[in-house]
Amino acid sequence: MSDALVSPAVAAGAGIVAAALIGVAASKVKKIRRDDIIPLMGVMGAFVFAAQMINFSIPGTGSSGHIIGGVLLSAVLGPWAAFITLCSVLIIQCLVFADGGLLALGCNILNMGVTSCLIAYPLIYRPIAGSSLKPWRISLASVVASIVALEIGAAGVTLETELSGITALPTSTFLAFMLPIHLAIGAIEGAATAAVLCFLAKYRPETLYGEYVAVESASPKRFVSRSGRLRPVLICFGIATLIFAGAFTWIASSNPDGLEWSIEKVSGISEMPSATPPTAIMPDYDSRFAGIVGALIVMVMLWAVTTIIFHRIRSAQKTHSED
């Protein structure tokens, strides 16, 4: 969402809720006993950042979409670590690249991070996929969860716009365009998510969060060490990140995304104005190196944040054991 869609009151409310959930997520992540979580969050965050830059065309509509990545992140990292990772991506996109308004950042975190990581994954993906590694269950769970996340997010955008009352977009008409186009986007994201997760389930099942929980439950008093076996996974995602980040200007669709397309259909305005954050160094990704720079910033940010979180909790545990 751009700032032009959100009033200060709605922005403040969404920002407070988003900040509170980030705080809860940080406390939850502290309890993870998994020695590969820091590199996984960094590499997966960079991968999702780069993948989000690749807009794909929606056939027959003149619109495009991009993945959110919340279901994918949650299936690998768990919902709370995934939420922090996705929030980091959204914050970097906003502040460094002016992608999404600064005023609307809280709304964007709710519409993309909460809907995918904290709603669709635990309530849709996990019940369908269960503990099975069967491709059909993972695929079905990925598609349904992605669609649910996109549809709730699309409804959230409509509601927030209506509550803001600063645009002339008729709610029912706006919703009538938002839901179908994001249904299509969600289906495509679900298929892409399923492809990645089925690959991991076949060749590196220990990467998946459900598999980690099973091992962690069997050995609750020690950290689960898997960093050695997951090195090939990190390398593969790192290579994919570089490919997406370096090639986005050539392969991304130039069609308006689902939100822009819906606004244009309802109002005839092709682009909503948005203030550029003062920290934006590459507004609108106006460099061929923007994707690589952004992916590196996301990776460094996540590694720094998670290292600080785990350093504090492990230092506290060490002090307590010495006492």
Side-chain angles (χ1 to χ4, degrees), residues 83-227:
F83 180 65
I84 287 183
T85 302
L86 191 51
C87 286
S88 300
V89 171
L90 295 174
I91 290 170
I92 294 301
Q93 286 174 338
C94 173
L95 297 181
V96 179
F97 301 98
D99 185 6
L102 182 60
L103 187 65
L105 181 58
C107 292
N108 287 327
I109 288 175
L110 298 184
N111 297 336
M112 290 188 273
V114 172
T115 59
S116 60
C117 300
L118 305 184
I119 296 177
Y121 175 77
L123 300 181
I124 305 298
Y125 181 92
R126 289 304 303 169
I128 295 176
S131 59
S132 173
L133 295 177
K134 293 181 179 179
W136 74 267
R137 291 191 64 169
I138 292 176
S139 298
L140 179 62
S142 298
V143 172
V144 176
S146 296
I147 289 175
V148 169
L150 266 292
E151 293 292 87
I152 297 176
V157 170
T158 307
L159 176 62
E160 290 152 2
T161 303
E162 172 67 16
L163 291 176
S164 294
I166 59 177
T167 69
L169 298 175
T171 302
S172 58
T173 306
F174 189 29
L175 192 64
F177 281 105
M178 284 286 285
L179 293 183
I181 196 66
H182 284 89
L183 173 63
I185 295 171
I188 295 174
E189 171 168 1
T193 299
V196 175
L197 293 181
C198 286
F199 176 84
L200 292 176
K202 182 176 181 180
Y203 295 104
R204 282 292 187 272
E206 64 272 19
T207 310
L208 301 179
Y209 176 69
E211 293 297 294
Y212 155 72
V213 169
V215 174
E216 193 272 342
S217 299
S219 52
K221 295 184 179 181
R222 66 180 179 84
F223 280 84
V224 179
S225 179
R226 296 179 173 188
S227 56

